[in-house]
């Protein structure tokens, strides 16, 4: 069973469209994250939720809206997609405190045409 | 702002060679240091989480040391194999929930 699963793995869409990426973890973790891998392959945090509550919102455009219906799910909705949104997006989760390791999903490669 | 730096950015080694690379981080308010292995087209996987000064952790041919007083950690790979080719990331918590990742060391092991 995959611990942190993201769907879809690939997403190709036109500028201006709205799209969602889903993330689910079956580890019972309290904290979930969205990271963006930028053009330099650097992992940058976007959002973090702890027990469905937004903890970190890292100066991400308002077009990006995370939603956590329960602590096992953290979805990312993106409105009015732009060319610059093309990237790989990773979901991750963590059990407890900051000395616990992060578990990552397999990534969603978003291409905006 | 916490700054986590890794060096070198990339390196090529021959199969069988041993190698090491560095992660440096601010030593003040240290809490933990994470190492992740990230293969191309896959997701990062945790190797070690280190919290104690002088700690050394080992997983097969890979080991890591930690010096929290001077703010660095070394990752060592003994007898590198082609399957060790990956990007090795370190990360340090900044606050309770945020992690600052280094830019990684891209290792290529040549057969």
């Amino acid at each position: 069973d995959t611990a942190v699963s993201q769907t879809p793995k690939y997403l190709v869409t036109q500028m201006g469209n709205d799209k969602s990426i889903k993330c689910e973890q079956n580890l019972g973790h309290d904290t979930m994250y969205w990271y963006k891998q930028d053009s330099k392959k650097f992992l940058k945090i976007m959002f973090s939720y702890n027990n469905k509550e937004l903890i970190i919102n890292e100066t991400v455009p308002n077009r990006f809206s995370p939603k956590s219906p329960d602590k096992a799910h953290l979805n990312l909705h993106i409105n009015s997609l732009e060319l610059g949104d093309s990237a790989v997006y990773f979901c991750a989760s963590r059990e407890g405190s900051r000395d616990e390791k992060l578990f990552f999903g397999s990534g969603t490669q978003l291409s905006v045409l | 702002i916490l700054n986590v730096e890794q060096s070198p950015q990339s390196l090529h080694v021959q199969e069988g060679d041993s190698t090491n690379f560095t992660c440096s981080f601010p030593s003040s308010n240290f809490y933990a240091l994470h190492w992740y292995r990230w293969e191309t087209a896959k997701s990062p996987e945790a190797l070690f989480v280190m919290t104690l000064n002088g700690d050394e952790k080992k997983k097969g041919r890979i080991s890591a040391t930690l010096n929290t007083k001077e703010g660095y950690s070394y990752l060592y790979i003994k007898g590198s194999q082609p399957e060790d080719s990956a990007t090795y990331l370190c990360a340090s918590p900044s606050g309770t929930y945020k992690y600052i990742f280094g830019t990684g060391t891209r290792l290529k092991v040549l057969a």
Side-chain angles (χ1 to χ4, degrees), chain B residues 21-89:
Chain B
F21 20 94
T22 309
C23 172
S24 62
F25 52 87
S27 52
S28 59
N29 299 318
F30 173 82
Y31 191 86
L33 193 283
H34 294 225
W35 279 103
Y36 292 84
R37 182 169 177 274
W38 191 2
E39 289 181 75
T40 302
K42 293 189 178 179
S43 53
E45 286 187 12
L47 286 171
F48 308 112
V49 178
M50 309 178 79
T51 56
L52 298 174
N53 184 44
D55 203 6
E56 181 170 346
K57 297 217 172 190
K58 192 172 179 183
K59 188 175 183 178
R61 293 178 292 98
I62 304 177
S63 61
T65 60
L66 180 68
N67 183 323
T68 60
K69 292 187 185 338
E70 295 181 40
Y72 64 83
S73 175
Y74 292 135
L75 191 81
Y76 300 90
I77 303 178
K78 188 176 174 183
S80 304
Q81 299 297 308
E83 57 265 29
D84 295 329
S85 297
T87 296
Y88 292 84
L89 290 175

Side-chain angles (χ1 to χ4, degrees), chain A residues 25-62:
Chain A
Q25 52 96 2
N26 62 5
L27 298 166
H29 289 173
D30 290 332
T31 307
M32 295 184 73
Y33 298 84
W34 278 109
Y35 281 89
K36 180 180 180 181
Q37 183 186 3
D38 67 17
S39 55
K40 295 182 181 178
K41 309 294 184 189
F42 189 49
L43 278 177
K44 293 180 73 172
I45 190 165
M46 299 174 70
F47 300 104
S48 175
Y49 271 71
N50 185 59
N51 272 320
K52 303 192 296 174
E53 189 180 330
L54 179 66
I55 299 295
I56 295 174
N57 181 343
E58 195 72 2
T59 55
V60 177
N62 290 340

Side-chain angles (χ1 to χ4, degrees), chain A:
Chain A
D1 276 348
T2 305
V4 181
S5 58
Q6 282 179 241
T7 53
K9 191 166 174 63
Y10 301 98
L11 184 52
V12 182
T13 189
Q14 299 287 331
M15 266 176 56
N17 282 352
D18 302 339
K19 290 292 177 187
S20 293
I21 307 172
K22 295 188 176 182
C23 179
E24 177 182 3
Q25 52 96 2
N26 62 5
L27 298 166
H29 289 173
D30 290 332
T31 307
M32 295 184 73
Y33 298 84
W34 278 109
Y35 281 89
K36 180 180 180 181
Q37 183 186 3
D38 67 17
S39 55
K40 295 182 181 178
K41 309 294 184 189
F42 189 49
L43 278 177
K44 293 180 73 172
I45 190 165
M46 299 174 70
F47 300 104
S48 175
Y49 271 71
N50 185 59
N51 272 320
K52 303 192 296 174
E53 189 180 330
L54 179 66
I55 299 295
I56 295 174
N57 181 343
E58 195 72 2
T59 55
V60 177
N62 290 340
R63 299 181 296 103
F64 290 78
S65 54
K67 282 191 172 51
S68 182
D70 54 61
K71 77 172 195 178
H73 295 84
L74 180 60
N75 304 323
L76 184 64
H77 188 76
I78 316 170
N79 288 327
S80 303
L81 278 154
E82 300 178 358
L83 293 175
D85 297 333
S86 296
V88 183
Y89 294 85
F90 285 95
C91 177
S93 72
R94 182 189 85 182
E95 181 173 15
S97 63
R98 50 197 156 152
D99 57 355
E100 298 285 344
K101 58 188 178 183
L102 290 168
F103 288 79
F104 285 87
S106 55
T108 295
Q109 186 167 334
L110 172 64
S111 299
V112 183
L113 308 176

